[in-house]
Structures are given as structure tokens and as C-alpha cells.
Amino acid sequence: MKRKVYEDYEPISNIGVCSSLLTVLAVSTYLGVFSNTTKKSEKEEPKPAQVIQKAEKTQILKSQYKNEQKERLN
């Protein structure tokens, strides 16, 4: 009776797994997944809001009203 001899495919599968892991690590390194540097945005920070007191607000509104009246007359 002949005995069946099975081939061992383990080295081929190990090569496939190792090459896929190497590909994943290479791509992630290229994209900068493992780097510790952080990207800084070049946007300027907005200026803090100015507090306008009620007395100043009425003066501003009065001056705006006068300017609008002058423009309407012209």
C-alpha cells in the first residue's frame, strides 16, 4: 500500500505573511504613523473678544447714527 506524502506549504505561507507585514510596516512608516512630530497649523489664533461697556456702546451707536444721517443728506 502506498502512503500519501503531503507537501509542507508552511514556508510559502510564512513568506506571504512576512511580505505582507513588511508592506504594511513600510507604508505606515512612509505615511508617518510611527513619527512623534505633530503638525502645527499655520492659522493665526483669533483675537480675544473685546468687552464694550454700555456707556461706550451708546456713544458708538450715536456716532454711527450721525454718520448715517450725514450720508442720507448727501
Side-chain angles (χ1 to χ4, degrees):
M1 197 173 196
K2 283 188 172 181
R3 196 169 176 195
K4 286 188 176 180
V5 177
Y6 294 100
E7 295 181 20
D8 187 15
Y9 292 104
E10 189 174 348
I12 296 173
S13 64
N14 282 343
I15 291 171
V17 169
C18 290
S19 64
S20 63
L21 283 175
L22 180 65
T23 305
V24 168
L25 289 174
V27 169
S28 60
T29 304
Y30 176 74
L31 294 176
V33 174
F34 299 118
S35 65
N36 290 332
T37 59
T38 56
K39 294 181 180 179
K40 294 182 180 178
S41 62
E42 296 181 4
K43 295 181 181 178
E44 296 178 8
E45 294 182 11
K47 295 180 181 178
Q50 295 178 350
V51 178
I52 300 176
Q53 294 180 356
K54 190 172 183 179
E56 293 176 358
K57 188 174 181 180
T58 56
Q59 290 176 355
I60 292 171
L61 291 175
K62 285 180 183 178
S63 64
Q64 287 177 351
Y65 178 73
K66 288 179 184 178
N67 290 337
E68 289 175 2
Q69 291 297 324
K70 287 179 184 178
E71 290 177 5
R72 289 183 187 171
L73 291 175
N74 293 333

